[in-house]
Amino acid sequence: MENKVTLTMKEQHKLKMVIDYEAGKIRAQQAAEVLGISKRQFRRLVAAYRQRGIAALEHGNRGRSPANRISEVMRQEILRLAKETYRDYNDCHFTEELAEQAEPIVVSRSTLRRIRRAAGQGSPRKRRAPEYRSRRERYPQAGMMLQTDGSRHDWLEGRGPWLTLVAMIDDADNEVPWAVFREEEDAAGYFLVLEQVCRSKGIPQSIYADQHTIFQSPSQPSIEQELYGGLPRTQFGRLVDELGIQLIAARSPQAKGRVERLWGTLQDRLVKELRKAGANDLESANRVLAAYLPKFNARFQIEAAQPGSAYLPWPPDRDPADYFCFKYPRTVTNDNTIPFNKYRLQIPPGPHRKSYAKARVELHHAMDGSLAVFYQGQHLITFQPATSAPPRVGQFHPATLAPPPDMPQATTLPKQPRQPWKPPADHPWKQYGKSLKGNKLG
C-alpha cells in the first residue's frame, strides 16, 4: 500500500528527516528545527510513521472535497449563463451581475474565473502588454479638476444610430458627475454636461480636455487681440472664462488617461445596460444613462486624498441661462435687422429708442434652441426655433419669420447676357482711321 502513496516535495523532505532520525543520524531537536516545527510535533510525526508508514506523512485533507466548494449544479448554471446571457461579460462584471439577479449566485471573481477557464472560456476583452509610463498623481480634492471627452461608438449595438457619449470624470475620486448622449460630438453636449455639474455639484476649478476645436480655436488672433494679448476663444472657451474655470489642454490621449479608461469601462458595461433596457434611440439611451450613473459611481468611485470639496457653489443671484448659451456680437443694420445664418432677424422698436441701427447687440442662443437679442443688458426680442433641440454653433432656423413691416420685398431680376460695346460712327477712333486713308500718297 505504501508504494501507491504519492508525496509532495515538502512531504518527501519530512520523510527523509524521519528516516534519518530512525537511523540515528540526527536528533529530534535538529530535525524539528530543519522542518520548522516543534520537537513535540516532530515526535508525533515519528509515532504516526511507525504506526501507518509513509501514508502518515500525507496531508490529511488530500482527496477530500473542500467545505466551501460550490455544488456541481451551481457550476453548471454559471457555465450556462456565461455561454448565453453573459457571454461577452468580463469576469468582474459577470460576478457582480450574478449577485444582483433575482436568485443571486454569490461567488468570488477568482472562483468564477477558474470555472470559466476550466471550461475553455477566455476573457472577452483582449489586452496588450502595457507600455512603461510614469504615473501622474491624482488631484487631492474633488472638484479641483475634471477630465472631459467624447466617445463615438455603436452604443446601441445596431438597434439604433451610432451615438457620441460626452462625459466628465473627477480626477480625484473617479466620480462621473454627469454625462449625456449626443448625435455627434459638439459644443452643446459639453455645455449640457457642465451645466448639470454646476447645478448639482458646483463650479470646478479646472477642466482637462484635448485640443479639439470645441475647446481650442484654430483662428488666428485679430490685430486687437494681438495688441491686448488676447487669443481667439471658442464658445466653450468663452464659457469657462466667464465661470472662472481654468481650461487645460492635453497634448496626448495618455495625458487624460482617466477619461480614456472610462470609455473602456462604459463601452463594456453601459452597452449591456442599454441592451437590457432595449434602448434604440437617443432619448431612451439618455434615460438609461441617467439611471445608470449612480450605480456606476457606487462601484468605481474612490475616496479622494483630502476630504471636502473644491467645487465653488453656484451663486444664487446668477441665472445659469445667462452663461450656458452661445453668444454672438452683432451690429444692427440700417433697416433694424440682424443677419444671422442666412436669415434677417427684425428688431422691433423699443421703449427707450425707436431705431437700433448701427447698435452693437449680443445674441444669446440658449440650450433650448431659442435665440434672444440683448442690447446693453436689456432684452429686446426672442426668436423661437423651428425644432426644440440643443443648438449648434453658428446655426439657427427660426420657427416663423415675418417680413419687416412696411418694407417692400426685395426682387431679384434675371441677369441679361452682356453685349459687347460698339463705338458710334462719329467716335474719334473711327474718324482717325478715315483721316489716314485721305492722306495716303498716290
Side-chain angles (χ1 to χ4, degrees), residues 129-267:
E131 300 178 2
Y132 174 80
R133 294 186 181 92
S134 59
R135 186 176 183 84
R136 177 183 62 82
E137 294 295 330
R138 293 177 180 269
Y139 275 66
Q141 197 174 48
M144 296 186 70
M145 186 177 77
L146 299 182
Q147 295 188 18
T148 187
D149 198 10
S151 174
R152 181 76 171 170
H153 185 65
D154 187 13
W155 295 98
L156 302 179
E157 300 179 303
R159 299 185 305 276
W162 278 53
L163 301 175
T164 298
L165 179 60
V166 178
M168 292 186 176
I169 184 172
D170 199 302
D171 187 77
D173 59 5
N174 276 356
E175 181 187 14
V176 180
W178 196 247
V180 66
F181 278 114
R182 297 284 293 156
E183 294 179 352
E184 60 185 24
E185 187 175 7
D186 58 357
Y190 290 96
F191 270 58
L192 293 171
V193 173
L194 183 56
E195 179 180 9
Q196 187 64 29
V197 172
C198 291
R199 288 176 179 270
S200 60
K201 308 287 291 186
I203 304 173
Q205 293 187 2
S206 64
I207 293 178
Y208 204 43
D210 56 25
Q211 300 189 55
H212 195 285
T213 52
I214 293 175
F215 311 106
Q216 308 294 331
S217 175
S219 304
Q220 297 296 324
S222 62
I223 297 178
E224 182 179 2
Q225 289 172 336
E226 290 181 348
L227 291 175
Y228 292 96
L231 293 175
R233 301 296 278 170
T234 64
Q235 290 291 338
F236 191 85
R238 185 270 312 163
L239 172 64
V240 296
D241 286 346
E242 292 182 356
L243 297 179
I245 302 173
Q246 181 186 8
L247 182 60
I248 305 174
R251 300 187 180 275
S252 67
Q254 293 79 10
K256 49 186 181 65
R258 309 213 192 285
V259 71
E260 294 293 341
R261 287 189 292 273
L262 173 67
W263 301 140
T265 305
L266 290 179
Q267 288 174 10

Side-chain angles (χ1 to χ4, degrees), residues 281-321:
D281 56 16
L282 179 66
E283 291 73 17
S284 59
N286 274 318
R287 289 195 297 269
V288 175
L289 174 63
Y292 175 68
L293 282 181
K295 177 182 176 181
F296 179 88
N297 288 327
R299 171 63 179 84
F300 292 101
Q301 186 175 353
I302 63 175
E303 290 188 6
Q306 294 181 7
S309 173
Y311 287 100
L312 179 66
W314 185 267
D317 58 338
R318 302 292 178 88
D319 185 2

